Amino acid sequence: FINEIGIEGQQNIMAAKVLVIGAGGLGSPVLQYLAAAGIGNIGIVDFDHVEIHNLNRQVIHTEKSIHVDKVKSASAYIEELNSSIKVTSLMTKISTDNVDGIIAAYDVVVDGSDNFNTRYLVNDACSRAQKALVYGSIFAFEGQMAVFNYKGSKQLRDLFPEPPHPEDIPTCDQYGVLGPLPGIIGSMMAIQV
């Protein structure tokens, strides 16, 4: 083990409750490394299913997962990697009606979603609940990540008070994402968790 973490640190990791929103490009490497680290309780929220064009960047899913709910495929991956982890899967879309209840049981929230509406809903809920938020975003060849609301630190709205207008936002479906990019940003997000 790593001296700076030690036995007590590993016990804290095993007791941690982490919610990952999005089991796609960013969620895949985050979930891989959180499971490998031994996070004791992992929640996964996604409302999509695996499609063949996801496989170049969503590395926890396989051809056998095509048309399967991403949360189901992600849960199976985690359970195969580390059967001692408690996995809670929610096949749902984050909304104003459910976001506060979904994040309530977790210590840290990871936002790997792919749209600004969800990002701002999650940010606002984490701010209200005073929960740390590990945020990531990818597009084409670019990625960014940040930790928001850690012990009262800045939040997404401190950098960008309002989401951009939907018509001004290029999408990954239009322009693509370099396959390894989510792995790099997602790994950095897992380190921050």
Side-chain angles (χ1 to χ4, degrees):
F1 64 87
I2 298 172
N3 287 336
E4 292 82 0
I5 295 174
I7 293 172
E8 184 180 344
Q10 188 61 49
Q11 289 171 333
N12 290 338
I13 289 170
M14 291 168 58
K17 298 174 183 173
V18 179
L19 177 65
V20 179
I21 298 171
L26 289 171
S28 287
V30 169
L31 289 165
Q32 278 184 314
Y33 283 106
L34 295 183
I39 296 291
N41 186 323
I42 297 176
I44 309 167
V45 179
D46 202 309
F47 66 94
D48 202 2
H49 58 274
V50 179
E51 298 179 50
I52 193 159
H53 66 271
N54 300 146
L55 299 182
N56 75 314
R57 65 191 181 280
Q58 299 181 15
V59 294
I60 61 174
H61 308 297
T62 66
E63 287 183 353
K64 291 179 184 176
S65 304
I66 294 172
H67 305 299
V68 173
D69 297 342
K70 286 183 182 179
V71 293
K72 184 176 179 182
S73 176
S75 294
Y77 176 88
I78 291 169
E79 289 165 4
E80 190 171 320
L81 181 66
N82 187 339
S83 63
S84 67
I85 295 173
K86 180 182 180 217
V87 180
T88 304
S89 300
L90 294 169
M91 175 69 176
T92 190
K93 189 173 186 173
I94 295 289
S95 70
T96 55
D97 295 332
N98 67 15
V99 67
D100 292 312
I102 290 173
I103 72 165
Y106 296 92
D107 304 315
V108 178
V109 177
V110 178
D111 182 3
S113 65
D114 63 358
N115 67 83
F116 283 99
N117 184 46
T118 301
R119 290 176 189 158
Y120 279 82
L121 282 172
V122 170
N123 172 76
D124 295 346
C126 286
S127 183
R128 283 191 300 273
Q130 299 181 349
K131 292 188 184 274
L133 171 62
V134 179
Y135 169 95
S137 177
I138 53 174
F139 173 72
F141 297 93
E142 301 173 12
Q144 57 186 348
M145 59 108 359
V147 177
F148 293 123
N149 205 45
Y150 179 69
K151 296 183 178 181
S153 68
K154 301 293 184 186
Q155 59 156 306
L156 177 61
R157 288 189 186 274
D158 291 322
L159 292 176
F160 305 103
E162 295 298 324
H165 193 276
E167 285 139 20
D168 296 335
I169 306 167
T171 67
C172 292
D173 285 340
Q174 291 172 310
Y175 295 97
V177 173
L178 182 65
L181 179 64
I184 294 166
I185 301 300
S187 295
M188 292 170 61
M189 293 168 71
I191 288 170
Q192 294 305 311
V193 171

